[in-house]
């Protein structure tokens, strides 16, 4: 069974530039999560989708971050404009709707903002 | 608010030593508790879970018991191997007001041969 796919794996940009990350969840997983993991900290939930609807985006900095999940499958997370403090690993995870306890994580995208 | 506190790392042990990684939590309601592991270069993987007080989660020789009276969920293993070297994250999912996973900061474990 294929796991959660993310791309790119690494990205370096300058502050004030924009960047986008892509995630393809495990087939059949209706719930998709984006986490931000700053070095030395645990992952922090940014946004959670159920199919293509947002369940929780309370910790998403909406002035610069946006996410979408068209057609309820792939998802894109965008940052515009980026700040130095956005340097982190961005993790995507997915699960069945009634199995929030069983989240499967992708390898992450490491973003460096200079 | 809801939070998870783990012991700071890194933890360095020799092979076959006993492992304990402490985890305590603060939560409203009755959360479910988890340990995730992140091996070098890989994504997080669920290691074990416990969904109610006094439950014991176990997997791959690791164990953790949900202690409501001490709000703890310490991870233990009787004999660690070099292959257990990884970062371990304690986490909770609160069961009130929606399901949001809250992670601790992680504890890095090094096991020497």
């Amino acid at each position: 069974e294929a796991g959660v796919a993310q791309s790119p794996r690494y990205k370096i940009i300058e502050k004030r530039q924009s960047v986008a990350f892509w995630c393809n969840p495990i087939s059949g997983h209706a719930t998709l999560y984006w986490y931000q993991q700053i070095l030395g900290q645990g992952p922090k939930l940014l946004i959670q989708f159920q199919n293509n609807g947002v369940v929780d985006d309370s910790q998403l900095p909406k002035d610069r971050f946006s996410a979408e999940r068209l057609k309820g499958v792939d998802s894109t997370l965008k940052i515009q404009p980026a700040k130095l403090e956005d340097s982190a690993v961005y993790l995507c995870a997915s699960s069945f709707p009634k199995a929030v306890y069983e989240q499967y994580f992708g390898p992450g995208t490491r973003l460096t903002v200079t | 608010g809801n939070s998870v506190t783990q012991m700071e790392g890194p933890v360095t042990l020799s092979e076959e030593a006993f492992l304990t990684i402490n985890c305590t939590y603060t939560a409203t309601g009755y959360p479910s508790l988890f340990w995730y592991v992140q091996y070098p270069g890989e994504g997080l993987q669920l290691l074990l879970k416990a969904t109610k007080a006094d439950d014991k989660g176990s997997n791959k020789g690791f164990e953790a018991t949900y202690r409501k009276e001490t709000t703890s969920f310490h991870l233990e293993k009787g004999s660690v191997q070099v292959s257990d070297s990884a970062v371990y994250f304690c986490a909770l999912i609160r069961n009130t007001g929606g399901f949001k996973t809250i992670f601790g900061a992680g504890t890095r474990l090094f096991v020497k041969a």
Side-chain angles (χ1 to χ4, degrees):
Chain A
E1 177 184 274
V4 176
Q6 290 188 247
S7 68
R9 292 294 309 275
Y10 305 91
K11 190 75 177 178
I12 300 173
I13 62 172
E14 296 181 352
K15 60 184 179 184
R16 291 187 289 274
Q17 287 186 323
S18 62
V19 64
F21 312 126
W22 173 82
C23 173
N24 181 242
I26 291 173
S27 177
H29 281 190
T31 307
L32 185 146
Y33 317 77
W34 282 103
Y35 290 88
Q36 180 192 57
Q37 185 177 12
I38 293 172
L39 186 64
Q41 300 181 18
K44 181 182 81 172
L45 181 69
L46 293 176
I47 189 167
Q48 178 178 338
F49 292 94
Q50 179 92 351
N51 296 307
N52 58 352
V54 175
V55 174
D56 187 336
D57 63 356
S58 57
Q59 298 191 99
L60 186 73
K62 299 180 185 65
D63 57 333
R64 297 184 300 106
F65 286 64
S66 65
E68 62 182 10
R69 192 182 184 199
L70 301 176
K71 302 181 182 179
V73 182
D74 293 6
S75 177
T76 302
L77 177 70
K78 296 179 181 178
I79 307 175
Q80 182 179 11
K83 293 185 175 182
L84 295 177
E85 59 260 36
D86 298 332
S87 293
V89 176
Y90 291 85
L91 299 168
C92 179
S94 68
S95 72
F96 289 111
K98 295 189 184 298
V100 291
Y101 303 152
E102 302 277 353
Q103 295 179 36
Y104 292 81
F105 284 81
T109 296
R110 182 177 298 277
L111 173 68
T112 302
V113 182
T114 63
Chain B
N2 301 293
S3 66
V4 176
T5 302
Q6 293 182 233
M7 65 186 288
E8 286 193 26
V11 173
T12 302
L13 296 174
S14 297
E15 211 166 20
E16 300 184 3
F18 186 86
L19 168 70
T20 300
I21 300 178
N22 291 337
C23 170
T24 57
Y25 68 90
T26 303
T28 55
Y30 300 95
S32 296
L33 302 174
F34 305 82
W35 278 99
Y36 280 83
V37 58
Q38 188 172 31
Y39 297 104
E42 299 183 17
L44 275 77
Q45 303 172 28
L46 179 64
L47 180 60
L48 52 85
K49 67 178 186 287
T51 58
K52 60 183 187 297
D54 299 325
D55 268 2
K56 177 186 284 188
S58 61
N59 186 25
K60 299 181 181 181
F62 291 89
E63 292 183 340
T65 302
Y66 189 147
R67 301 287 188 199
K68 190 171 185 299
E69 62 276 13
T70 54
T71 63
S72 65
F73 193 56
H74 304 322
L75 182 68
E76 297 181 336
K77 186 175 186 183
S79 176
V80 293
Q81 305 300 311
V82 172
S83 57
D84 294 325
S85 298
V87 181
Y88 293 82
F89 293 91
C90 186
L92 68 83
I93 291 183
R94 63 180 194 201
N95 296 334
T96 55
F99 295 96
K100 177 184 289 186
T101 308
I102 296 170
F103 286 88
T107 302
R108 184 174 296 276
L109 171 67
F110 291 106
V111 181
K112 303 180 297 183

